[in-house]
Amino acid sequence: MSSSDWFGPGGPGEGGGGAEGGPRPGGPRRPPGLRLRRARGPLGPTIAILIALGVVVSLGANLWTEVLWFDSVGYEGVFVTELTTKILLFTVGFVLTAGLVASSLVIGYRTRPIYAPVTPQQQSLDQYREAVEPLRRVAIVAVPAVLGLLTGTAAAGEWKTYLLWRNAVPFHVKDPQFGIDLSFFTFTLPWVTFVLGFVTMVLIMALVAAAFTHYMYGGLQLQLRADRTTKAARTHLAVLLAALVLVRAATYWFDRYSLLTKDSSLLTGIGYTDAHAVLPTKAILAVAAIMTAGLFVASIWTRSWRLPAVGVALLVITSVVVGSIYPAIVQSFKVQPSQKTLERPYIQRSITATRAAYGIDGVQTSPYQATTQSNAGQLRNDAETIPGIRLVDPIVVSPTFKQLQSVKSYYAFPDALDVDRYTINGKVDDTVIAVRELDLNGVPDNQRNWLNDHTVYTHGFGVVAAYGNQRGADGQPVFFEQNIPTVGPLPPFEPRIYFGEQSPEYSIVGGPSGSRPREFDYPDSSVAGQKNNTYTGKGGVQLSSFARKVAYALQYRELNFILSDTVNSDSRLLDHRSPLERVQRVAPWLTLDGNPYPAVVGGRIQWIIDGYTTSADYPYSRLQEIDNATSDSVTASSQAVRPIGSGQINYIRNSVKATVDAYDGSVKLYAWDNQDPMLKAWSKAFSNTVLPMSDISADLMSHLRYPEDLFKVQRTMLARYHVTDADSFYGGQDFWRVPNDPAQEDRVVMQPPYYLTLAMPDQSKPTFSLTSTFMPAGDREVLSGFLAVDSNAGSQAGTRLGDYGKLRLLVLPRDTTVKGPGQVENDVASSNQTSAAFTLTLNQFLNQSRQQGSKVTLGNLLTLPVGGGLLYVQPIYVSAQGSSAYPLSRATIAAFGDKLAWSDTLDGALAGLFGGNSGATTGDSGSGTTAPPTTGTGGTGPTSPQNAAALTKALADIQAAYAAGQKALRDGDFAAYGAAQKQLDDAIQRAVAAAPKGGSVTVTPTPKGSATTSTPSPSPTTK
């Protein structure tokens, strides 16, 4: 070691003294140029190791809890398939990227010239080389690793594309341009496109790494002459560039097939210009790219970049001239002047493919000459349809269900209820139904803690169902399944809701046999005020070991899993409890309908979810934004009903019906369209997960219906693609649109489809259907079409009815004068029509109701093809202001042609509309406002003088309260009407109490309604 190394540049004795060079008391003299490095303590490495260990343990706990969950629902194969596919793709992507980038860095460094060229450029790079050198070894490992992680993650994200390619099945339909089976475009081409794009990205990264390293260490000179570049650098870069251009050639070639899903304003797919200008140029560019790649390889021997540079320049010029300018010239000077003629075959291809891809090619289209004249008895031929008209709006009455049936604040109903069918007393009725779910937000704050939230308040209780076509005397729904415990005509079923749309994030349930129940079940009138319950189902993951408790403690960041005595070896953890989430986890390849609905099936409450297989790669089919197509006034205002995801599709099938048991969370997938190639491919990828349709029970089949979101997508496409002639489609004069919802007074959103039981003109009897209307595109507010799809799957096990899913479209003449929903709503708002049930005009009724501390809500405006025309029906709801207010149906409006009528019942409105006699009876016939009772009828027991006097007084009060209520109702004074109804209820109760034992108080029926209150009442059946 030299003296300068020890003593610095000045040598010994220079610049000495002081702290740096002078003698140090109590120790030997230290050389002034030598700095001692402080030894590092163990704290830093220990912390780093602990952090890394914590991350590994947390990831391991998350992985294990996922395995436990999938095992608990019996779909561990789905988890394994998805995970192994992701690992495979990640590994291939990581190795390919890291390998190529690392090899570029290593080759560039190891083949560097021993002596860098002496040039001003290289001299300026010396300082950069000195700065990079200490980090070189780290960079050679870190840079490829980071890039590999990024690209590997991107590759893993394409696991669905890979599985579809691996498990492709034929469509047995060939495209009209290339004559290739459609499976190539939907299964193979997306994967090929991804691979080409991925390899292009990796080669670019490797090329950049190689060029940077060769340039940094002098192997690459920035001149066109290759003799200024080392042979190793020239060979390395030429091979990478040749590979990149070859991949580009393959991309040009496969871009030809991608043209079949190219979107334009006129059509999706190849047009005239694409077929005659773009397709040939893509082939030319592919050949030119291959030639350019050959020039790069040749440069290894020619030792010049000149030819490859010329080749790249020519390739760019060719791509601009042949790929852009030439097609633009063809489009402008040949196609545009004769576009209708030249594009005709391609438009026809698009029409045919679109109708097939969206399942609307089998729609039955019929002309419908709708009359606008109304006469007495006109609905006589529709006597079976009229009673089924749904008067209860499931979007409006959720607050009514909550106020009348929630019982306690910690029970809740969704803000949009569901429509289903149930057989009551041998008759199938449309039903508005909801489950009474647990809402932790309703639990008092002083009771909110971890123990209560996760081990006590664990489940909801029961269903509430009302007749869809009836209304109570005061406008409330007529419930047939209600209360806690559940009372009603449905067969006994398990009422507890452990898995629902509003269930807590997780609950810990169950316990040792014979232990004291901890879970709150439902409130009752006992001393304790409640019934408790212990979960006995098989749902969830059993916390049978300490390791499982620790895993879930890490998963949910909660020590109580380990510390609480409520968590024992018999406890079960219920998580991922939303029906949509559970189905999405076991069938990640499905697109799910945004409106799950409950049904009582086989003694259990089952959530029913429709699953779709979708694609955006069906040749020639029109691309559609799925979230736009499935959005309407319900999704805009509801949290319970949501539009489907996002992104574009051009193929959709309702391929799966899924169920989730509300008690044990079990998930079942049933094949609903076994001819769907997408379903066949996914079934190959995830074997033994989809059950055959033959496994569907008769009870479940009776509750399956045509899905709303599929119907929304189909009606959106039918608005244009009901036109099947290419020339007419090109003109666009007969395009339609879906009307805006006129009931939404504060927003402009599409009208939702409605479930109704009706008979189309070609049907002999009514059937459960999903309906929508159309208006001409533009500003005309008249009807142009009416669409209904048969939604009744039948009630036979394993077999659905033949007409299920049949689309029927009624097309009105172009010069029709049938009013659209917007015009009808305008008539409602300005109507001076009076009613026999009210002294006010309709306009006065609505205005006074809005001005006297009440709120008016317009119900769904239903449209039905009856009486040779189109009938509109709309309920009007009135509610008070305030958080506890709820809407009641106070009036019903009916419109036909140019006439409008209204009354307190649909029966009365139709009578007013059709000359006093519509010819049919409605579901609310006899459900008008309650009339006063007359006298108490004879009972079996004696009546004391005191009871007789009390009874007489109560009956007089009933008469007075009824008269006051009727006057208030006629005057539109709903505050006074509410007070009168309370007085009426009190008087009736006093009359019942004063009546002889076993007697009754009879209410004299009026032409619009009747009611009878009797005592004692029959004991209800408790389930």
Side-chain angles (χ1 to χ4, degrees):
M1 185 176 287
S2 66
S3 62
S4 62
D5 291 330
W6 278 101
F7 302 107
E14 298 181 12
E20 193 71 35
R24 303 181 65 180
R29 177 188 177 94
R30 177 171 62 83
L34 183 65
R35 295 180 181 271
L36 297 178
R37 180 176 297 176
R38 179 178 296 178
R40 294 181 179 177
L43 181 61
T46 301
I47 293 175
I49 291 173
L50 289 176
I51 291 175
L53 184 62
V55 171
V56 171
V57 170
S58 180
L59 291 175
N62 181 67
L63 179 63
W64 191 28
T65 55
E66 286 290 281
V67 172
L68 291 174
W69 187 89
F70 278 94
D71 182 65
S72 72
V73 293
Y75 286 87
E76 59 274 10
V78 173
F79 179 74
V80 171
T81 300
E82 180 178 345
L83 182 62
T84 54
T85 304
K86 287 181 176 179
I87 292 174
L88 172 65
L89 295 178
F90 175 85
T91 302
V92 171
F94 178 87
V95 170
L96 184 62
T97 302
L100 281 175
V101 173
S103 65
S104 292
L105 293 173
V106 171
I107 292 172
Y109 178 75
R110 290 189 175 182
T111 60
R112 69 192 185 281
I114 298 176
Y115 300 104
V118 181
T119 64
Q121 185 183 64
Q122 289 298 320
Q123 289 176 353
S124 65
L125 289 174
D126 286 341
Q127 56 183 328
Y128 296 108
R129 280 193 288 267
E130 292 177 2
V132 168
E133 185 59 28
L135 302 174
R136 176 178 55 80
R137 292 181 182 275
V138 176
I140 287 177
V141 175
V143 171
V146 171
L147 294 177
L149 285 172
L150 295 175
T151 56
T153 303
E158 295 295 323
W159 66 274
K160 294 181 183 179
T161 307
Y162 170 78
L163 285 178
L164 280 179
W165 169 67
R166 279 292 306 275
N167 298 279
V169 297
F171 273 69
H172 300 295
V173 177
K174 294 184 178 181
D175 85 281
Q177 182 68 37
F178 299 103
I180 302 175
D181 190 272
L182 300 188
S183 61
F184 170 78
F185 301 94
T186 54
F187 299 137
T188 304
L189 186 59
W191 175 247
V192 172
T193 302
F194 165 73
V195 169
L196 291 174
F198 183 85
V199 173
T200 299
M201 176 180 60
V202 172
L203 286 174
I204 289 174
M205 289 189 289
L207 179 63
V208 170
F212 173 81
T213 308
H214 284 300
Y215 178 68
M216 179 65 68
Y217 289 98
L220 174 65
Q221 301 294 306
L222 297 182
Q223 287 92 14
L224 284 178
R225 291 178 55 189
D227 56 1
R228 300 290 184 93
T229 300
T230 65
K231 182 178 180 180
R234 184 173 60 252
T235 302
H236 188 195
L237 294 176
V239 170
L240 288 175
L241 285 166
L244 183 61
V245 178
L246 279 176
V247 172
R248 187 58 193 162
T251 302
Y252 280 131
W253 185 258
F254 282 99
D255 279 348
R256 298 160 62 249
Y257 303 112
S258 298
L259 290 173
L260 268 68
T261 54
K262 171 189 171 186
D263 205 21
S264 68
S265 59
L266 182 61
L267 55 85
T268 294
I270 290 179
Y272 181 89
T273 300
D274 298 317
H276 294 82
V278 178
L279 273 179
T281 58
K282 290 289 184 182
I284 292 172
L285 288 171
V287 174
I290 294 173
M291 296 172 62
T292 304
L295 293 177
F296 275 111
V297 175
S299 69
I300 298 174
W301 293 276
T302 61
R303 303 178 61 187
S304 172
W305 294 117
R306 188 169 288 108
L307 285 178
V310 171
V312 170
L314 290 176
L315 182 62
V316 172
I317 293 172
T318 303
S319 65
V320 173
V321 174
V322 180
S324 299
I325 296 177
Y326 173 62
I329 292 174
V330 172
Q331 180 69 25
S332 299
F333 294 99
K334 183 171 184 178
V335 176
Q336 291 291 357
S338 307
Q339 188 175 33
K340 182 177 180 179
T341 303
L342 295 178
E343 298 285 15
R344 182 184 294 121
Y346 305 101
I347 294 174
Q348 196 64 54
R349 289 179 183 179
S350 182
I351 292 173
T352 302
T354 299
R355 289 170 63 90
Y358 287 96
I360 56 177
D361 51 341
V363 62
Q364 176 182 304
T365 303
S366 306
Y368 189 64
Q369 188 70 43
T371 180
T372 57
Q373 301 297 318
S374 59
N375 303 299
Q378 192 163 337
L379 303 183
R380 187 172 294 109
N381 293 333
D382 301 288
E384 290 186 78
T385 296
I386 301 304
I389 296 178
R390 182 169 49 76
L391 300 175
V392 179
D393 187 342
I395 311 304
V396 175
V397 298
S398 177
T400 308
F401 271 53
K402 179 176 177 58
Q403 290 298 322
L404 300 180
Q405 285 293 318
S406 63
V407 182
K408 295 291 184 179
S409 61
Y410 41 76
Y411 288 127
F413 294 99
D415 54 12
L417 309 185
D418 294 294
V419 179
D420 199 356
R421 296 136 295 150
Y422 285 87
T423 301
I424 309 298
N425 298 325
K427 180 177 177 294
V428 178
D429 286 299
D430 289 3
T431 301
V432 175
I433 189 171
V435 295
R436 189 185 290 105
E437 291 206 55
L438 176 67
D439 180 14
L440 286 178
N441 294 323
V443 176
D445 291 339
N446 61 358
Q447 296 182 30
R448 295 296 301 274
N449 54 60
W450 183 87
L451 199 65
N452 282 343
D453 285 0
H454 298 288
T455 67
V456 176
Y457 293 102
T458 60
H459 60 277
F461 197 96
V463 301
V464 176
Y467 294 102
N469 62 342
Q470 298 181 27
R471 60 184 288 274
D474 293 328
Q476 74 275 19
V478 178
F479 300 109
F480 65 82
E481 197 76 15
Q482 58 187 320
N483 299 341
I484 297 179
T486 306
V487 178
L490 298 183
F493 62 92
E494 172 57 62
R496 295 170 182 87
I497 314 295
Y498 282 92
F499 295 87
E501 295 177 295
Q502 302 183 54
S503 296
E505 181 184 16
Y506 67 88
S507 292
I508 299 172
V509 300
S513 177
S515 62
R516 182 173 61 86
R518 294 177 180 272
E519 303 169 41
F520 172 80
D521 204 22
Y522 59 86
D524 68 358
S525 57
S526 65
V527 175
Q530 66 183 56
K531 290 285 188 182
N532 284 2
N533 178 65
T534 297
Y535 181 74
T536 58
K538 300 299 182 182
V541 176
Q542 188 168 359
L543 302 176
S544 56
S545 66
F546 180 75
R548 291 189 177 192
K549 296 176 185 178
V550 172
Y552 280 104
L554 291 171
Q555 173 73 10
Y556 289 106
R557 307 294 189 265
E558 181 55 68
L559 279 175
N560 282 314
F561 277 93
I562 303 172
L563 303 178
S564 176
D565 63 351
T566 60
V567 184
N568 52 69
S569 60
D570 292 304
S571 297
R572 307 187 77 89
L573 178 85
L574 310 181
D575 60 353
H576 304 295
R577 302 168 74 178
S578 163
L580 279 176
E581 182 186 8
R582 293 181 77 80
V583 175
Q584 193 69 79
R585 286 170 66 84
V586 304
W589 43 275
L590 283 176
T591 300
L592 300 182
D593 193 274
N595 186 20
Y597 62 98
V600 178
V601 176
R604 291 288 185 91
I605 299 173
Q606 299 280 352
W607 293 96
I608 300 175
I609 302 102
D610 286 284
Y612 309 112
T613 48
T614 60
S615 174
D617 301 298
Y618 193 97
Y620 283 106
S621 176
R622 189 69 179 187
L623 288 165
Q624 170 68 43
E625 293 287 344
I626 192 169
D627 54 340
N628 291 341
T630 56
S631 297
D632 55 28
S633 62
V634 176
T635 60
S637 60
S638 171
Q639 295 181 349
V641 183
R642 298 178 293 273
I644 298 180
S646 61
Q648 290 186 317
I649 64 165
N650 66 359
Y651 175 91
I652 185 170
R653 289 291 185 273
N654 178 209
S655 54
V656 170
K657 299 285 187 180
T659 62
V660 176
D661 192 299
Y663 184 70
D664 63 19
S666 58
V667 182
K668 292 184 178 179
L669 309 175
Y670 299 98
W672 194 246
D673 185 353
N674 53 19
Q675 299 302 312
D676 175 28
M678 298 288 291
L679 177 61
K680 292 179 181 179
W682 285 120
S683 296
K684 285 179 61 180
F686 297 99
S687 58
N688 301 321
T689 58
V690 181
L691 302 173
M693 187 188 297
S694 58
D695 283 7
I696 298 178
S697 67
D699 200 1
L700 176 59
M701 185 70 76
S702 67
H703 293 285
L704 300 181
R705 65 189 192 187
Y706 200 82
E708 289 180 83
D709 283 337
L710 174 60
F711 185 74
K712 292 178 189 178
V713 172
Q714 289 176 325
R715 71 173 181 176
T716 300
M717 302 313 298
L718 273 173
R720 298 183 67 182
Y721 287 89
H722 69 278
V723 180
T724 57
D725 175 69
D727 289 342
S728 301
F729 189 93
Y730 179 83
Q733 299 301 312
D734 199 25
F735 287 170
W736 297 341
R737 62 185 173 93
V738 177
N740 293 324
D741 189 352
Q744 301 295 314
E745 300 176 284
D746 56 346
R747 69 183 85 194
V748 179
V749 283
M750 280 198 302
Q751 190 177 38
Y754 297 122
Y755 285 106
L756 294 170
T757 295
L758 55 80
M760 294 290 278
D762 67 320
Q763 292 179 290
S764 59
K765 61 180 181 179
T767 187
F768 189 64
S769 304
L770 188 57
T771 66
S772 184
T773 57
F774 295 103
M775 298 193 305
D779 298 329
R780 290 190 69 203
E781 290 287 334
V782 296
L783 278 190
S784 57
F786 179 86
L787 178 67
V789 60
D790 194 323
S791 301
N792 180 23
S795 57
Q796 183 177 346
T799 304
R800 65 187 183 205
L801 291 180
D803 275 352
Y804 170 87
K806 185 172 184 178
L807 291 158
R808 294 177 171 89
L809 178 64
L810 302 181
V811 179
L812 278 68
R814 293 185 182 181
D815 58 352
T816 181
T817 57
V818 176
K819 293 181 178 181
Q823 289 185 340
V824 171
E825 206 60 66
N826 182 71
D827 291 346
V828 169
S830 59
S831 174
N832 290 321
Q833 184 71 37
T834 59
S835 169
F838 301 90
T839 58
L840 303 173
T841 66
L842 178 55
N843 177 264
Q844 292 171 335
F845 171 82
L846 295 174
N847 289 336
Q848 288 195 20
S849 298
R850 291 177 173 129
Q851 294 171 3
Q852 296 182 358
S854 299
K855 176 184 177 183
V856 173
T857 303
L858 303 177
N860 40 212
L861 183 60
L862 306 178
T863 310
L864 299 95
V866 295
L870 287 159
L871 172 70
Y872 288 97
V873 174
Q874 183 175 43
I876 303 295
Y877 293 87
V878 180
S879 61
Q881 300 288 352
S883 59
S884 62
Y886 56 93
L888 295 173
S889 176
R890 295 304 191 190
T892 303
I893 297 168
F896 190 93
D898 296 325
K899 292 185 65 177
L900 181 147
W902 68 294
S903 184
D904 56 341
T905 65
L906 176 59
D907 204 36
L910 292 181
L913 193 63
F914 293 98
N917 177 20
S918 66
T921 303
T922 65
D924 69 343
S925 178
S927 62
T929 307
T930 304
T934 54
T935 60
T937 61
T940 59
T943 303
S944 66
Q946 293 85 356
N947 282 353
L951 181 58
T952 301
K953 175 68 166 60
L955 292 175
D957 291 344
I958 290 174
Q959 188 73 37
Y962 173 75
Q966 290 301 293
K967 181 179 183 303
L969 191 60
R970 286 193 298 270
D971 295 340
D973 187 348
F974 290 99
Y977 179 77
Q981 290 302 302
K982 291 181 180 180
Q983 295 170 4
L984 179 62
D985 182 66
D986 176 70
I988 290 175
Q989 295 301 321
R990 288 189 281 114
V992 170
K997 184 177 180 181
S1000 64
V1001 177
T1002 303
V1003 179
T1004 302
T1006 65
K1008 294 189 177 65
S1010 64
T1012 301
T1013 304
S1014 62
T1015 185
S1017 60
S1019 299
T1021 301
T1022 302
K1023 294 185 280 291

